[in-house]
Amino acid sequence: MGTDALRMRGITKRFGRIPANDAVDFTVAKGEIHCLLGENGAGKTTLMKVLFGLHKKDAGEILLDGRPVEISSPGDAIAGGIGMVHQHFMLVGRLTVTENIIAGREPRSGFLLDYRRAREMVREISGRYGLKVDPDARVEEISVGQQQRVEILKALLREAELLIFDEPTAVLTPPEVQELFGVMRRLKASGKTMIFITHKLKETMEISDRVTILRDGRKVATVETARTTPARLAEMMVGREVELRVARPEVTRGERILALKDLRVKGADGRYRLNGVNLEIHRGEILGIAGVEGNGQLELEEVVAGLLKPAQGRVWLGAEEITALDPGAIRARGVAYIPSDRLRRGLIGSFSAARNLILGSQRGRAFAPGGILRHRRIEEEARRLVADFDIRAASVHEPAAALSGGNQQKVVIARELSRRPELVVAAQPTRGVDVGAVEYIHRQLLKMRGEGKGVLLISAELDELRALSDRIAVLYEGRIVAEGPSGGFTEQELGLLMAGEGK
Amino acid sequence: MAEILTAIFNTSNLSATVRMATPIALAAMGGSFSERSGVINLGLEGMILSGAFAGVLGSYISGNPWLGVLLAVAAGGMMGLILAFFAVGLKADHVVSGVGLNIFALGLTTWLMQVIWKSRGTSEAVAGLKEVSLPLIRDVPVLGAILGTNSPLVYLMLILVFLGWAVLFRTPWGLRIRVVGEHPEAADTLGIKVHRIQYACVVLSGCLAGLGGAYLSLGQLNWFSMNMSAGRGYMALAANIFGQWNPLGGLLASFLFSFTDALQMRIQAAGIAWPNEVIQMLPYLLTVAVLAGAVIRSRPPAALGRHYEPGRNT
Ligand SMILES: Nc1ncnc2c1ncn2[C@@H]1O[C@H](COP(=O)(O)OP(=O)(O)OP(=O)(O)O)[C@@H](O)[C@H]1O
Ligand SMILES: [Mg+2]
């Protein structure tokens, strides 16, 4: 494949004393799609931020097209032909697509910004690579998939030859993922080089030419995609064998634990987000909710958790109606809630892991007898949970925001499942989480099922739904359009139903 | 009722509005620049005060009021630099830094006044700015009475506000300012220097507020008195919010605030048989009502008041 577009040699980056990257060598050939794999916290994002000038490296050197370069700011990286599509989008919601793309590179006429030329530039570049966007739309009003296109266009406008995609598919629906892959193939055909980060091995196998695996900040290996298998990749990432699909044993189905009757929820625009939803979950059962995001999933999880009151309809937990209860009362009755937005709903970023682990029990006798928090007890409980649930943190005093994505999710899961719930609401429980942690979370949910709890699993991952659920219901535009035993659906059928097609 | 109407639609009332609005609109525009770049600016009050003082000092030393205006702009800019150093450079809380700056400015100007003019209340009178009369506009019926003859700083303010609007919303630099105030991480990844833009905007806001101060001490009067700004900085901040962080909006808001104030004086002077307390309350009531409505719908820059450290939360 000719010369190397990028060579990173001996890159070390420490936060405090702990190295996030430890003498990493990383080489990307010109014109290839190179996948970077590793567990949560392995150091993938850190390595890419060093490359993009957002982190200052402690040691090592970077060569672009064989020439050593000094990258100390994103400006340097951009000048060197590097573009980055970030894990969390770097877009200004209230500005237009055009403004977001051209900021920092504005065409001028005299002192003024030449908006007409700017718009033409955006049209030209979006046409060239088949990335359709409306130049005049406000970024906050377009879909996540379109926002990602804006991010890619930003890099392309700056003549990036090497593009970094940090977990671009985590936020996309399956059809959007295919669309992104189409764009990546087109970019490759036009000679661009790409680094692609994902936790989904299927995607790695589909799109990449080579794979580099990081573990605990060190490079494990670089392999050719065609000569490896998902199982081997998983093993190299985690350092042990990983079950990519956890077996679901037979469990006898018990009495009804959750019932939703004719639920209706109205959005701010007056349209129904949930429009007459009827569902039941029994003990020892996992009910999977399939659907493209934005079809009522968020409203569903929030109604059951008590965060959102339905305009109409009723919710029963066992024999008791809980429709009008507040979230605290619903928790007290044994509902565990793993929210889809863990950073906003599941954790308080600036609080320590220990405090996050007892959140919701802070007023009880266990941790605050007489209304005074007992830090010793909180810490003991936190230590126990950290050990039981294999949470990797430097200490329980580490703020939650400093943990890697997978470990943040483990904190939420440990807290929610350790309080012996009757019903578990798990919304997108494995989003952005590495294969080892996925296996772990799946086991935990199945364990709950085995203990005779009910589980409401809302997920955008069809594999996950099919592997874990006893029954699957498909949510489309606020209605259940299909429901049945999970074995009764093929992946294609589910895909069509989610898109509002099929019967 | 007829008396009230004549009191409202009265050209001298409107020309008073324009005059009283001038320092507020200038400082409000300063607030727009500072806050669009993400830095809360509660220091406008101190910046106006420093400008008012420096203006008189410059005129006192040189005998030329225009050199006073120049010194006022420089002094406001210095105050902006101090605020930027604390709020941006040292990442101190913006509100605390701004309030601290105001206290510092009040103490410094009062003390310097005592040292220089040996007086506790006011400075000596100095050469002030002369009013100018615009030949063409002067002869237009109503407009002439309102805008025909004024301090040059009034005209300068009108020009600057339009210029400021154009810079913020029509130039590359303005777009960069807005990106920084909305999403500094995004700005950084676009190669925009976040802290440099914030420093520039806060210093610029100081210069504008300082110019507003010069209008108080050299345009309306020709001396400095203790705490001369008298809350105009806070009114400017409110005008900036009401004006949706837009210099033109800030100008309109300043007009509204000043108009109600002028009206209030007018009604009192007209001897209308209402209790004085009620009349004095009117402008404030109106301001509160208008602001409450505006704040509900207003949308501040997303990263306002937040400190940016490269390589975090991205
Ligand atoms: N700004 C920071 N300050 C302190 N520690 C950090 C910072 N950024 C990352 N880390 C730590 O560095 C390590 C590597 O993090 P990094 O974000 O690179 O992981 P990752 O491989 O991208 O994981 P994920 O798959 O969850 O995105 C983690 O232990 C993380 O907690
Ligand atoms: Mg990452």
Side-chain angles (χ1 to χ4, degrees):
Chain A
M1 272 199 190
T3 56
D4 292 329
L6 168 72
R7 288 192 80 137
M8 298 179 83
R9 273 208 292 244
I11 302 292
T12 296
K13 169 71 197 173
R14 291 186 200 88
F15 294 111
R17 253 177 300 130
I18 306 157
N21 288 154
D22 191 356
V24 174
D25 293 324
F26 180 52
T27 304
V28 181
K30 195 151 190 60
E32 76 168 335
I33 298 181
H34 196 119
C35 189
L36 197 51
L37 282 183
E39 289 182 282
N40 293 119
K44 307 179 292 294
T45 299
T46 304
L47 187 66
M48 291 302 104
K49 282 191 178 171
V50 166
L51 176 56
F52 197 60
L54 285 165
H55 284 325
K56 201 186 265 156
K57 61 184 187 297
D58 296 312
E61 59 171 347
I62 301 174
L63 290 84
L64 288 175
D65 293 321
R67 278 174 293 107
V69 286
E70 205 42 64
I71 300 175
S72 53
S73 75
D76 295 345
I78 292 167
I82 301 172
M84 182 157 179
V85 176
H86 293 262
Q87 197 166 353
H88 307 287
F89 292 157
M90 296 286 175
L91 296 171
V92 181
R94 79 201 284 186
L95 296 184
T96 65
V97 167
T98 302
E99 287 171 325
N100 268 283
I101 293 174
I102 55 134
R105 276 251 164 161
E106 307 85 355
R108 295 156 194 255
S109 60
F111 286 113
L112 298 183
L113 204 166
D114 189 343
Y115 274 100
R116 175 127 42 99
R117 263 243 332 278
R119 214 170 285 133
E120 273 165 25
M121 281 161 64
V122 171
R123 284 227 177 81
E124 192 273 326
I125 194 128
S126 79
R128 176 147 34 117
Y129 296 100
L131 286 152
K132 261 176 67 186
V133 288
D134 171 5
D136 297 315
R138 277 207 206 194
V139 161
E140 64 198 354
E141 284 158 9
I142 62 181
S143 72
V144 172
Q146 285 172 311
Q147 291 181 354
Q148 191 168 64
R149 278 180 233 158
V150 177
E151 280 281 57
I152 299 172
L153 286 171
K154 263 163 70 175
L156 292 175
L157 186 86
R158 287 163 178 74
E159 284 133 30
E161 286 302 317
L162 172 64
L163 284 136
I164 304 164
F165 292 86
D166 194 352
E167 289 194 45
T169 58
V171 292
L172 299 183
T173 61
E176 283 173 334
V177 171
Q178 285 312 315
E179 208 169 307
L180 172 67
F181 284 176
V183 170
M184 289 175 70
R185 289 194 186 100
R186 242 168 289 149
L187 289 171
K188 185 176 160 176
S190 73
K192 308 273 183 200
T193 308
M194 280 162 277
I195 300 170
F196 173 63
I197 299 177
T198 184
H199 285 294
K200 296 172 195 162
L201 298 175
K202 224 164 131 184
E203 295 173 355
T204 306
M205 300 306 294
E206 180 175 348
I207 194 76
S208 69
D209 299 302
R210 288 197 302 163
V211 186
T212 291
I213 297 113
L214 296 182
R215 193 199 310 155
D216 293 333
R218 292 165 196 268
K219 177 172 137 176
V220 178
T222 297
V223 295
E224 280 181 37
T225 312
R227 297 183 181 207
T228 188
T229 63
R232 282 241 289 287
L233 290 174
E235 199 179 325
M236 283 191 274
M237 280 165 67
V238 184
R240 63 173 166 86
E241 228 175 285
V242 179
E243 267 184 78
L244 292 176
R245 180 169 271 215
V246 181
R248 181 160 46 97
E250 281 298 318
V251 169
T252 46
R253 176 173 140 139
E255 71 209 42
R256 197 183 73 184
I257 179 75
L258 180 78
L260 309 176
K261 290 267 159 66
D262 195 32
L263 272 191
R264 283 169 211 272
V265 171
K266 236 184 202 169
D269 57 0
R271 290 228 313 270
Y272 279 106
R273 293 287 142 79
L274 288 180
N275 197 354
V277 168
N278 291 292
L279 286 173
E280 282 194 359
I281 301 179
H282 289 252
R283 290 183 174 279
E285 181 180 63
I286 297 181
L287 172 67
I289 304 289
V292 175
E293 244 182 306
N295 277 279
Q297 288 94 329
L298 184 63
E299 288 74 10
L300 184 62
E301 64 173 273
E302 295 195 338
V303 164
V304 179
L307 290 164
L308 190 67
K309 294 297 162 211
Q312 200 181 313
R314 311 170 88 173
V315 183
W316 275 275
L317 185 67
E320 186 187 8
E321 180 168 358
I322 59 165
T323 322
L325 296 185
D326 64 73
I330 290 176
R331 290 177 81 73
R333 282 163 178 73
V335 175
Y337 177 38
I338 301 163
S340 55
D341 189 344
R342 61 175 165 259
L343 283 176
R344 272 187 50 226
R345 294 269 202 220
L347 292 167
I348 300 177
S350 57
F351 277 22
S352 67
R355 289 188 169 201
N356 273 291
L357 281 165
I358 63 120
L359 222 54
S361 313
Q362 73 276 17
R363 278 192 297 198
R365 287 266 287 289
F367 303 117
I372 311 262
L373 284 175
R374 301 296 158 90
H375 292 289
R376 176 98 37 89
R377 287 196 204 176
I378 294 173
E379 222 181 289
E380 274 166 21
E381 172 71 0
R383 290 241 162 74
R384 191 177 68 76
L385 291 175
V386 163
D388 282 5
F389 286 78
D390 189 27
I391 299 167
R392 310 227 182 120
S395 90
V396 294
H397 303 296
E398 191 100 338
L403 300 180
S404 77
N407 284 304
Q408 289 176 345
Q409 186 72 333
K410 280 185 177 178
V411 167
V412 176
I413 287 174
R415 179 184 69 216
E416 295 299 315
L417 300 190
S418 65
R419 65 174 88 211
R420 322 212 119 269
E422 297 304 318
L423 174 75
V424 180
V425 179
Q428 319 291 355
T430 58
R431 175 179 290 164
V433 152
D434 65 55
V435 283
V438 168
E439 178 197 24
Y440 173 83
I441 291 166
H442 286 176
R443 275 185 202 289
Q444 292 294 327
L445 292 176
L446 285 169
K447 189 164 145 235
M448 286 285 135
R449 169 178 173 273
E451 290 170 8
K453 327 282 191 197
V455 179
L456 176 63
L457 171 67
I458 301 172
S459 174
E461 293 294 315
L462 293 185
D463 287 339
E464 171 170 283
L465 281 172
R466 278 156 45 81
L468 296 182
S469 311
D470 297 289
R471 283 185 303 129
I472 292 181
V474 183
L475 196 56
Y476 176 71
E477 291 192 344
R479 291 173 198 274
I480 303 292
V481 293
E483 190 183 348
S486 63
F489 296 101
T490 65
E491 200 163 325
Q492 282 79 357
E493 279 168 351
L494 281 177
L496 285 175
L497 287 163
M498 284 163 59
E501 291 156 38
K503 46 173 179 34
Chain B
M1 213 60 217
E3 291 150 317
I4 295 179
L5 285 181
T6 27
I8 295 174
F9 297 105
N10 180 307
T11 49
S12 81
N13 200 2
L14 294 177
S15 76
T17 298
V18 174
R19 273 182 273 120
M20 287 158 71
T22 295
I24 300 174
L26 282 168
M29 169 155 78
S32 300
F33 271 91
S34 168
E35 300 211 336
R36 281 278 179 180
S37 80
V39 182
I40 300 173
N41 194 337
L42 248 76
L44 290 172
E45 179 74 10
M47 296 168 175
I48 295 177
L49 190 63
S50 311
F53 174 84
V56 168
L57 183 64
S59 177
Y60 176 74
I61 292 170
S62 69
N64 181 347
W66 284 106
L67 287 178
V69 170
L70 220 58
L71 195 64
V73 171
M78 261 319 285
M79 288 287 158
L81 193 62
I82 294 174
L83 179 64
F85 176 69
F86 280 98
V88 179
L90 299 182
K91 301 189 172 37
D93 183 271
H94 294 181
V95 172
V96 173
S97 309
V99 171
L101 188 77
N102 292 344
I103 297 171
F104 170 65
L106 179 60
L108 183 71
T109 53
T110 307
W111 174 68
L112 283 176
M113 182 171 66
Q114 287 177 19
V115 169
I116 297 169
W117 291 293
K118 314 275 181 273
S119 150
R120 290 183 159 265
T122 59
S123 74
E124 284 171 26
V126 298
L129 292 168
K130 297 217 166 43
E131 291 203 327
V132 293
S133 200
L134 297 186
L136 283 172
I137 295 175
R138 187 175 48 198
D139 305 325
V140 180
V142 182
L143 196 67
I146 301 171
L147 277 180
T149 307
N150 264 316
S151 164
L153 293 189
V154 172
Y155 303 115
L156 187 59
M157 176 276 286
L158 289 172
I159 294 167
L160 284 177
V161 164
F162 277 94
L163 219 63
W165 169 81
V167 166
L168 258 183
F169 297 103
R170 288 289 177 272
T171 67
W173 194 57
L175 178 61
R176 291 174 190 198
I177 292 172
R178 287 181 289 144
V179 172
V180 167
E182 289 287 326
H183 198 329
E185 293 81 13
D188 197 1
T189 59
L190 292 168
I192 297 171
K193 302 264 182 267
V194 173
H195 288 169
R196 191 184 292 176
I197 286 205
Q198 289 180 328
Y199 261 95
C201 283
V202 177
V203 169
L204 177 63
S205 83
C207 293
L208 290 165
L211 184 62
Y215 175 76
L216 286 180
S217 63
L218 294 175
Q220 286 192 319
L221 303 168
N222 58 344
W223 67 80
F224 175 80
S225 65
M226 184 181 154
N227 195 20
M228 189 169 208
S229 46
R232 284 181 182 83
Y234 297 106
M235 284 181 75
L237 201 66
N240 162 52
I241 293 170
F242 181 37
Q244 305 291 324
W245 291 268
N246 178 334
L248 290 180
L251 175 64
L252 291 180
S254 306
F255 278 156
L256 180 74
F257 292 174
S258 306
F259 176 71
T260 54
D261 212 13
L263 187 63
Q264 172 264 125
M265 292 187 217
R266 191 89 202 161
I267 293 176
Q268 258 179 306
I272 294 167
W274 286 4
N276 248 348
E277 291 75 8
V278 173
I279 296 169
Q280 282 174 359
M281 233 160 58
L282 285 177
Y284 297 98
L285 273 180
L286 183 65
T287 307
V288 167
V290 163
L291 265 183
V295 168
I296 290 167
R297 268 175 294 112
S298 78
R299 179 173 173 190
L304 184 58
R306 214 177 80 203
H307 297 122
Y308 175 62
E309 284 168 68
R312 289 204 58 208
N313 306 322
T314 46

